[in-house]
Amino acid sequence: MRQLLLDLSAQQPPTFDTFVTGQNAELLQRLQGILAAHTPPSLNDRFIYLWGENGAGKSHLLHSLAHAHPASRLITATAAETEFDYHPAVQCYLLDDCEQLPPAAQIAAFNLFNQIRELGGYLISSGALPPAQLQQQVREDLRTRLGWGLIYQLHGLTDDEKVAALTQSAQLRGMTISPTIFTYLLTHYRRDMPSLSRMLDALDQFSLETKRPITLPLLRDLLQQEAEDHTP
């Protein structure tokens, strides 16, 4: 069975423009403000922690800031310890998936926090839970540091917001798709926006390949092929 092109958008770097805001307008404005900052921020404003469920967009925002900020460094949970070294040329450190950091990396992150506090810069971190609930995943000194600055819960989109976002994305591509198709997709496929957006890419490609209009039967055929492709 031919492997479907479900990762067509995977190579496109996340940007603020492609982030579906929903209830996160204040957070988005705060992060965009870092790019336009002309005066030194207060101490609290230099440390921001984002938390929310998987697929809410935490990594999207960190990657968007890394893509837009010329003096940033994105640090993942699997990064080498040298990535936590402070450097004056780096103005914005972006630490993703804090709860997944191994013990040595947690020590390095703690030291980096202290250096940023003393020497300047931003630290934008993310995690699945708020700092107060990370007792089992993160050492205490780092956990308390993560809670020192601004804390934002990243709110996931409602189903109506997801349908509206997918409809708008389709319209920008010149595609006319009934909202009922997206409602069906939410019921029978993964519900996070990155997966839904990739499926929209695949649906567009599948329609072109088969020379069929985008209808519910076409979506069902695509989902069936996707399921067969992932069956051992």
Side-chain angles (χ1 to χ4, degrees):
M1 178 64 67
R2 176 182 57 85
Q3 177 65 42
L4 294 176
L5 302 179
L6 296 182
D7 59 348
L8 293 175
S9 63
Q11 300 304 315
Q12 300 174 4
T15 67
F16 289 128
D17 290 338
T18 58
F19 178 73
V20 184
T21 307
Q23 303 176 56
N24 305 297
E26 180 183 343
L27 169 59
L28 183 60
Q29 184 178 18
R30 173 77 64 177
L31 296 180
Q32 289 176 319
I34 294 175
L35 298 172
H38 300 296
T39 58
S42 66
L43 180 60
N44 281 350
D45 289 345
R46 293 199 287 114
F47 297 96
I48 302 175
Y49 180 86
L50 321 178
W51 70 276
E53 63 184 11
N54 185 39
K58 302 183 298 296
S59 294
H60 185 118
L61 288 175
L62 293 188
H63 281 78
S64 297
L65 191 52
H67 178 70
H69 199 302
S72 64
R73 180 189 295 170
L74 180 66
I75 306 173
T76 66
T78 58
E81 289 180 42
T82 54
E83 290 295 297
F84 294 87
D85 292 345
Y86 181 87
H87 195 285
V90 179
Q91 300 174 13
C92 188
Y93 296 85
L94 308 164
L95 179 57
D96 205 6
D97 297 322
C98 289
E99 76 282 356
Q100 298 180 25
L101 291 173
Q106 291 188 31
I107 296 174
F110 172 77
N111 293 332
L112 175 62
F113 184 103
N114 291 334
Q115 289 178 298
I116 293 173
R117 186 183 182 206
E118 178 183 356
L119 302 173
Y122 288 91
L123 176 63
I124 319 298
S125 308
S126 80
L129 298 169
Q133 298 179 25
L134 290 175
Q135 297 94 334
Q136 302 301 316
Q137 297 90 350
V138 177
R139 53 185 291 143
E140 185 64 13
D141 52 6
L142 176 59
R143 186 189 69 80
T144 56
R145 295 298 191 278
L146 293 174
W148 274 10
L150 301 175
I151 299 175
Y152 286 93
Q153 179 182 5
L154 205 59
H155 298 281
L157 301 177
T158 66
D159 285 357
D160 287 343
E161 289 172 334
K162 290 177 182 178
V163 170
L166 290 168
T167 300
Q168 181 181 30
S169 180
Q171 291 172 344
L172 291 174
R173 304 162 187 241
M175 304 162 61
T176 301
I177 302 179
S178 169
T180 59
I181 292 179
F182 293 132
T183 300
Y184 182 91
L185 186 61
L186 284 170
T187 306
H188 296 84
Y189 192 64
R190 295 189 288 273
R191 297 173 55 82
D192 62 282
M193 280 305 298
S195 295
L196 291 169
S197 296
R198 286 192 292 271
M199 180 54 78
L200 178 60
D201 288 337
L203 191 59
D204 185 20
Q205 180 71 19
F206 193 49
S207 173
L208 293 173
E209 289 180 359
T210 59
K211 297 180 172 58
R212 295 166 57 189
I214 298 177
T215 60
L216 198 54
L218 183 75
L219 174 59
R220 290 188 179 122
D221 288 348
L222 179 60
L223 291 174
Q224 178 63 32
Q225 289 200 24
E226 199 271 348
E228 291 174 356
D229 286 342
H230 288 82
T231 299

